[in-house]
Amino acid sequence: MPDHQQHYDERETRPMAAREAEIAARLPAAVAAAMRAPAQAARLAGVDPSTVTDRSALARLPLLRKSDLPALQAEAPPFGGLLAAPAGAFPRLFASPGPIHEPQPAGVDPWRMARALHAAGFRAGDVVLNTFGYHMTPGGWIMDSGARALGCAVIPAGPGNTAQQLDAVAHYRPAAYCGTPDFLKILLDAADAAGRPASSIRKAMVSGAAFPASLQAEFAARGVQAFQCYATAELGCVAYETSARGGLVANEGIVVEVVRPGTGDPVPDGEIGEVVVTVLDPEHPVLRLALGDLSAVVPGAAASPCGRTNLRIVGWRGRADQTAKVRGMFVRPEQVAAIARRHPELGRLRLVVTRQGEQDAMTLRAEMPAGGAAPPGLQAALAESLHDATRLRGEVELVPPGALPADGKVIADERPAAG
């Protein structure tokens, strides 16, 4: 029997065969429910839901690419014809960068985050400082609902306002933190510099940015055990880290595949490929959503040392396309193209994403106009255009005409791969 201090429920430690049997039983209903939406019915034309009863049958269904959602939703508001229910049937409606419009599913823990928070040590009665955003995007609500499902009290802090956050930390003494790892470092550094108490924070769930081993070790040295999860606005929690630190355990109630980019065909365990997720909830089904993130299934059928038996994926290994997640926000090639349209006098543009001082950083490299003379104010204007397009601040570097390679790359993610 599982240790309920360590495990959320018995589903985490059941034999893999039992989990696969549940997936087989639930897949037909999820496919049938999805096909009630017009765009899904067209996409799955000719599919008999009763025949989709295992992973191999699921793998024969076409992929739905996350990168295609903005165009589909623009053509058929609000959800691109991919959901049968109207917008008014959902409790909350969001708009994430892209833009991608997501509804909140019904239920107490609609994004299945409580399981991940439990693995990170969150328990009933804990006070949680939640610094993910609550405005327009669902990140704050995803963590909030999971923490409250566990019986935690939540400080809905959102991002930024470091001084005010330190006031709340001093007053409420939260035991736990949710947010990007970058902002946790900022918060702890600011507390140290100001002599403010922040030692109550002993556990953290981080996401939305790179979490290298060096930063994990720094937090541990400061008495904070931080765990990462892999979550998206459309799906909620996909996979989560446990005390074993041996990859990210796939969540229950979903099917995770790793496929060869451009084909949708599953790759062997251990091989890098694109992450594809199916959600088995018949009220809010998602079939084979290709996320654009690269990862791999941890090879071998053995359970994790923490006792959980679901498949595990390694950390993030890059993007199948050129999209990058910077400080919790997706930055897309289309946004770089929008900057180029604002400044047609420039040559090529390339957005370079790096890590500086354990934080995400980005620099827009721009070829100066022909002749090599930059008009006054160009650098500042480009910096403002970068912020307008991405909602993020970054540096601007002007380079000579022809200095950037003609390789079609507009976003270069030069951050080290996470463990």
Side-chain angles (χ1 to χ4, degrees), residues 147-312:
R148 289 191 300 109
L150 289 176
C152 301
V154 179
I155 304 170
N161 301 310
T162 304
Q164 187 177 10
Q165 300 233 17
L166 290 178
D167 288 341
V169 170
H171 189 81
Y172 287 113
R173 300 297 176 108
Y177 165 94
C178 291
T180 66
D182 297 3
F183 189 66
L184 177 56
K185 177 174 169 57
I186 289 171
L187 202 63
L188 295 177
D189 287 348
D192 289 347
R196 303 293 303 275
S199 59
S200 63
I201 299 175
R202 285 290 176 260
K203 45 201 168 187
M205 173 59 74
V206 300
S207 191
F211 187 42
S214 58
L215 189 54
Q216 178 182 304
E218 179 180 333
F219 290 153
R222 300 169 89 157
V224 181
Q225 291 298 314
F227 297 84
Q228 59 186 318
C229 74
Y230 176 29
T232 76
E234 303 79 23
L235 303 169
C237 179
V238 173
Y240 57 93
E241 195 173 22
T242 75
S243 58
R245 307 283 187 182
L248 306 181
V249 177
N251 209 343
E252 303 292 336
I254 65 174
V255 181
V256 175
E257 303 171 84
V258 177
V259 308
R260 185 163 290 108
T263 69
D265 299 330
V267 299
D269 291 356
E271 184 176 325
I272 298 291
E274 183 176 8
V275 178
V276 172
V277 178
T278 293
V279 177
L280 299 173
D281 179 4
E283 298 301 317
H284 192 84
V286 179
L287 300 181
R288 302 203 81 203
L289 182 65
L291 299 177
D293 292 319
L294 296 177
S295 189
V297 174
V298 175
S304 167
C306 69
R308 293 171 178 84
T309 55
N310 208 345
L311 67 81
R312 288 168 284 151

Side-chain angles (χ1 to χ4, degrees), residues 396-414:
V396 172
E397 178 186 348
L398 297 176
V399 302
L404 298 179
D407 58 4
K409 182 177 287 189
V410 295
I411 297 178
D413 193 336
E414 298 180 357

